[in-house]
Amino acid sequence: MTKLILASGSPRRKEFISYLGIDYDVEIPNIDESPVQGETPSELVLRLSCLKADFISKKRSDSVVIAADTVVCFNGMILGKPSSREDAFNMIKMLQGHTHTVYTGVTVQKGNLKRSKVVSTEVTFDSMDDDFIRNYVSSGECDDKAGAYAIQGIASMFISQVKGSVSSVVGLPINEVVKYLREFGLEIPVSKVC
């Protein structure tokens, strides 16, 4: 039987994969995630998801590997994970009252067979004052999150609109993953999920 591997240590991605009802392993790829000069957000997340999948597939060519990468983009700026709480504050302050785009690249690969896609979703934040932003940042939810927020958490109280895939904003476009897994011959045992 084909083994499924999630090429990520993200708790959010693990949660989505656990919904599938399929046993899986986690292997974290060791790659350079720095953007390349002139790279668009779409190009960045697609390249990184492919690199992560390739890294694990080279060691485990008999397994199906799922890899993803997510960034937030606002006014042409790519916002990854904040480097500090101050950085998180500045990101949320910049995004408040505006609409930004979240890009997630996903790659499903087995050996040399690969399926990849970029999913983009527009997210609109309400206006917030500095005290509210500081309180949010001090919750710690912003840590290790692209754009310094988690759509499925406390941040949901200041998100006024989402156009697109919520699971993609969380970090894994699960609809696309399921389609690709079926293409690779993996069945999703709905009876175990429901």
Side-chain angles (χ1 to χ4, degrees):
M1 185 174 168
T2 302
K3 188 69 184 168
L4 184 64
I5 299 174
L6 176 62
S8 174
S10 161
R12 282 87 49 203
R13 291 183 181 131
K14 289 178 191 175
E15 183 178 1
F16 277 121
I17 296 301
S18 70
Y19 296 156
L20 301 176
I22 301 172
D23 289 335
Y24 70 96
D25 290 336
V26 171
E27 292 193 27
I28 301 170
N30 182 17
I31 65 157
D32 179 2
E33 297 189 32
S34 305
V36 172
Q37 177 98 19
E39 197 169 39
T40 66
S42 253
E43 292 166 342
L44 173 64
V45 296
L46 183 62
R47 179 178 63 82
L48 292 180
S49 74
C50 288
L51 281 175
K52 291 173 183 181
D54 281 339
F55 185 91
I56 302 301
S57 287
K58 284 179 182 166
K59 300 187 298 181
R60 304 281 297 270
S61 61
D62 59 331
S63 300
V64 174
V65 178
I66 300 168
D69 194 77
T70 302
V71 296
V72 169
C73 185
F74 179 66
N75 284 346
M77 291 176 48
I78 294 174
L79 306 177
K81 297 172 184 175
S83 57
S84 65
R85 294 274 171 92
E86 181 181 345
D87 190 26
F89 174 86
N90 291 333
M91 284 185 190
I92 298 294
K93 186 166 176 69
M94 180 173 40
L95 296 174
Q96 64 89 26
H98 299 286
T99 298
H100 60 274
T101 305
V102 179
Y103 295 89
T104 297
V106 63
T107 299
V108 178
Q109 181 171 343
K110 182 177 182 187
N112 293 323
L113 184 61
K114 181 187 296 187
R115 297 286 182 269
S116 296
K117 185 173 183 177
V118 175
V119 177
S120 63
T121 303
E122 290 184 358
V123 179
T124 303
F125 280 9
D126 278 339
S127 295
M128 295 173 265
D129 62 32
D130 287 0
D131 287 341
F132 187 91
I133 296 170
R134 275 192 200 89
N135 286 335
Y136 174 68
V137 168
S138 69
S139 77
E141 185 178 87
C142 60
D143 300 346
D144 200 39
K145 312 282 191 318
Y149 72 93
I151 193 172
Q152 74 281 15
I154 300 166
S156 62
M157 73 174 76
F158 55 79
I159 295 171
S160 61
Q161 189 172 34
V162 178
K163 289 184 183 176
S165 168
V166 173
S167 71
S168 180
V169 177
V170 175
L172 190 68
I174 197 66
N175 181 265
E176 284 74 10
V177 168
V178 168
K179 287 177 186 174
Y180 292 154
L181 291 177
R182 287 185 173 142
E183 278 186 40
F184 282 60
L186 273 77
E187 287 302 315
I188 310 301
V190 177
S191 61
K192 285 186 179 180
V193 179
C194 299

